[in-house]
Amino acid sequence: MSLLTYTILAVIKSALTLFVLLTAGAYIVWLERKVVGHMQNRWGPTRVGPFGLLQPLADGVKFILKEDLTPPHVYKPLFILAPLLAVVLALTSVAMIPFGESVTIHGWIIPLQITGAVNANGTLGDINIALLILLGVTSIGVYGVALAGWSSNSKYSLLGSLRASAQMISYELSLGLSLVGVLILAGTLSLRGIVNQQAGRWFPDSPWLSWLPHWFIFPQVVGFFIYMIAAYAETNRIPFDLPEAETELVAGYHTEYSAMKFAMFFMAEYANMVTVAFVATLLFLGGWHGPHFGPPLLQAVEPFVWFLLKILAFIFLYIWVRGTLPRFRYDQLMAFGWKVLLPLAIANVVVTSLIVALLS
């Protein structure tokens, strides 16, 4: 594959992925309102809004048409840069995500991944340290929050950004350590390689457990729990949404923002939610692997369907937690991260290493 062809395909895949991701973020908001409304029985068993599938489009138009106010006391360059930084980094991380094996169009083998290519021997190429790059890109997202609070030149925004930054950095340690167990089992940092390691069954010859898929969630159920909790805190979601919900902080780090700059922070939040669901699906839930049945045409689309269903299940879990759990106090949040989640993540790494060493 020539450099020009690879560049053209990468641009096309980037545009399609960006469109799908932004659309998905808008409709996750719609889904969240509907699901939480049903959970809380706000309008009775049958009437739960918002009504109509064009509601996300109306919300987008409303944000675009709103007057974009820039307070005179802010530091304007960083005030404008902060929401751009948050949303760009949230969208950039998706470039590392593989969505499936590949598709063949008129003899061209096209990997379902923006950064993927086909090697000279016909095998699918991948970045060997894709997971490391993804974690690095997402970790820089904290700068968008920190700069938003500092550039607003407001004590309320600054306190909100300090709390958000401390929370995100604290739980990022647990999130990274929760994935080490999977990396020990897979022996690679390549996301495609990790998914390929989860093909097949754990006990194919067992009469009782032959159905159990070779997903890493089963030996790493503790790691998955740690990852899920840390992911809620990383994306500032209930019960860890204190940076956006403290009453004494008015609204947190985005207090001084309005119109599309305000919306960009929430575009970044929901894009990060999708990215977290991608990583959970790839590392713990077997990626696009699942049962195959039916005619050849159905089997060709089944991997993408399984991948999509696992992501939707994880997003539904996000929404379910929001509609169920109350938020923590800030001291409880930080104590849980440092005194419970981090030691548990370290213990999971140590135990996994010992078991793999003894069985090898």
Side-chain angles (χ1 to χ4, degrees):
M1 182 181 294
S2 66
L3 179 60
L4 178 61
T5 304
Y6 174 81
T7 304
I8 294 174
L9 288 176
V11 170
I12 294 174
K13 288 188 288 186
S14 299
L16 290 174
T17 304
L18 185 63
F19 173 78
V20 171
L21 189 61
L22 292 177
T23 305
Y27 277 93
I28 288 173
V29 178
W30 178 88
L31 179 65
E32 189 169 25
R33 293 173 180 174
K34 295 285 285 187
V35 172
V36 173
H38 279 290
M39 287 180 176
Q40 298 176 349
N41 197 22
R42 295 176 183 173
W43 291 83
T46 57
R47 289 184 53 80
V48 176
F51 303 103
L53 292 176
L54 295 180
Q55 183 66 44
L57 178 61
D59 290 339
V61 172
K62 178 182 68 175
F63 276 117
I64 293 173
L65 297 180
K66 274 183 172 291
E67 183 179 4
D68 189 2
L69 300 175
T70 301
H73 56 270
V74 304
Y75 183 64
K76 193 171 182 179
L78 293 182
F79 186 79
I80 296 173
L81 176 64
L84 291 173
L85 191 64
V87 73
V88 167
L89 290 173
L91 297 175
T92 301
S93 59
V94 184
M96 305 296 154
I97 302 295
F99 304 101
E101 292 291 348
S102 65
V103 294
T104 303
I105 301 176
H106 297 294
W108 291 93
I109 302 176
I110 304 175
L112 295 179
Q113 182 179 355
I114 295 176
T115 56
V118 180
N119 297 326
N121 58 4
T123 60
L124 291 179
D126 190 19
I127 298 178
N128 293 331
I129 55 170
L131 180 60
L132 191 61
I133 296 175
L134 190 148
L135 292 176
V137 170
T138 53
S139 66
I140 302 175
V142 69
Y143 285 102
V145 174
L147 291 177
W150 184 84
S151 64
S152 294
N153 199 19
S154 164
K155 59 183 178 182
Y156 300 109
S157 300
L158 180 60
L159 288 173
S161 67
L162 289 175
R163 286 190 170 186
S165 303
Q167 171 182 319
M168 294 170 71
I169 293 173
S170 299
Y171 279 84
E172 190 175 328
L173 296 173
S174 301
L175 187 144
L177 286 173
S178 69
L179 305 179
V180 175
V182 172
L183 300 180
I184 294 173
L185 295 175
T188 178
L189 285 166
S190 165
L191 292 174
R192 191 177 293 277
I194 293 173
V195 173
N196 291 336
Q197 291 285 336
Q198 298 178 75
R201 300 287 185 269
W202 278 109
F203 307 102
D205 300 326
S206 172
W208 303 105
L209 297 175
S210 59
W211 56 271
L212 192 65
H214 197 268
W215 297 353
F216 288 147
I217 188 176
F218 299 110
Q220 285 293 305
V221 62
V222 175
F224 178 75
F225 171 78
I226 297 170
Y227 173 82
M228 184 174 63
I229 299 301
Y232 291 145
E234 277 289 288
T235 51
N236 299 327
R237 299 280 299 180
I238 287 178
F240 304 101
D241 67 332
L242 298 182
E244 301 170 359
E246 283 280 24
T247 53
E248 71 270 22
L249 298 179
V250 184
Y253 60 89
H254 49 67
T255 302
E256 303 294 338
Y257 284 89
S258 61
M260 275 307 296
K261 290 200 291 290
F262 177 83
M264 283 182 181
F265 285 113
F266 290 93
M267 290 166 59
E269 177 181 316
Y270 283 90
N272 285 327
M273 285 174 56
V274 176
T275 302
V276 164
F278 280 147
V279 175
T281 301
L282 294 173
L283 270 65
F284 293 99
L285 303 178
W288 49 84
H289 293 298
H292 288 283
F293 53 87
L297 181 60
L298 179 60
Q299 294 187 16
V301 299
E302 279 173 358
F304 180 76
V305 173
W306 291 124
F307 189 70
L308 182 61
L309 288 177
K310 293 172 185 177
I311 293 170
L312 290 177
F314 198 86
I315 294 295
F316 177 79
L317 187 60
Y318 251 112
I319 299 172
W320 191 0
V321 168
R322 174 179 177 175
T324 306
L325 298 181
R327 62 177 60 99
F328 293 114
R329 292 198 319 264
Y330 193 76
D331 61 313
Q332 294 174 329
L333 180 148
M334 297 301 288
F336 181 74
W338 286 103
K339 297 180 181 180
V340 178
L341 216 57
L342 185 59
L344 188 61
I346 296 174
N348 179 64
V349 173
V350 173
V351 172
T352 302
S353 303
L354 289 175
I355 293 176
V356 171
L358 292 174
L359 295 179
S360 60

